[in-house]
């Protein structure tokens, strides 16, 4: 095996690395969110459940107070 020839006296020992390409930073954008399915708010849901129950209890309660006299 023959050793590699030494470089010429005026030549640089290693070639210069290639110039780095400028890296362009893009503006950050949030990924688009899916719209949530339409839902009833907790207040509306509570009113839909409790209002008929309160109304039914008021209509069906005994009226013993008016019959006793």
């Amino acid at each position: 095996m023959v050793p590699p020839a030494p470089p010429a006296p005026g030549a640089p020992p290693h070639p210069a690395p290639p110039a780095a390409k400028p890296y362009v930073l893009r503006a950050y954008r949030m990924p688009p969110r899916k719209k949530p399915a339409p839902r009833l708010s907790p207040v509306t849901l509570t009113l839909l459940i409790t209002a008929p129950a309160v109304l039914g209890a008021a209509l069906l309660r005994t009226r013993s107070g008016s019959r006793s006299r």
Side-chain angles (χ1 to χ4, degrees), residues 8-69:
H14 296 288
K21 294 181 182 179
Y23 186 75
V24 178
L25 293 176
R26 296 184 181 177
Y28 178 73
R29 281 188 262 161
M30 293 287 294
R33 284 183 16 162
K34 293 181 181 178
K35 292 184 179 179
R39 282 200 251 164
L40 294 175
S41 71
V43 174
T44 304
L45 187 61
T46 303
L47 288 175
L48 282 174
I49 292 173
T50 58
V54 170
L55 193 65
L59 291 175
L60 295 176
R61 70 181 184 157
T62 60
R63 298 182 186 180
S64 61
S66 62
R67 290 184 187 168
S68 65
R69 290 186 184 209

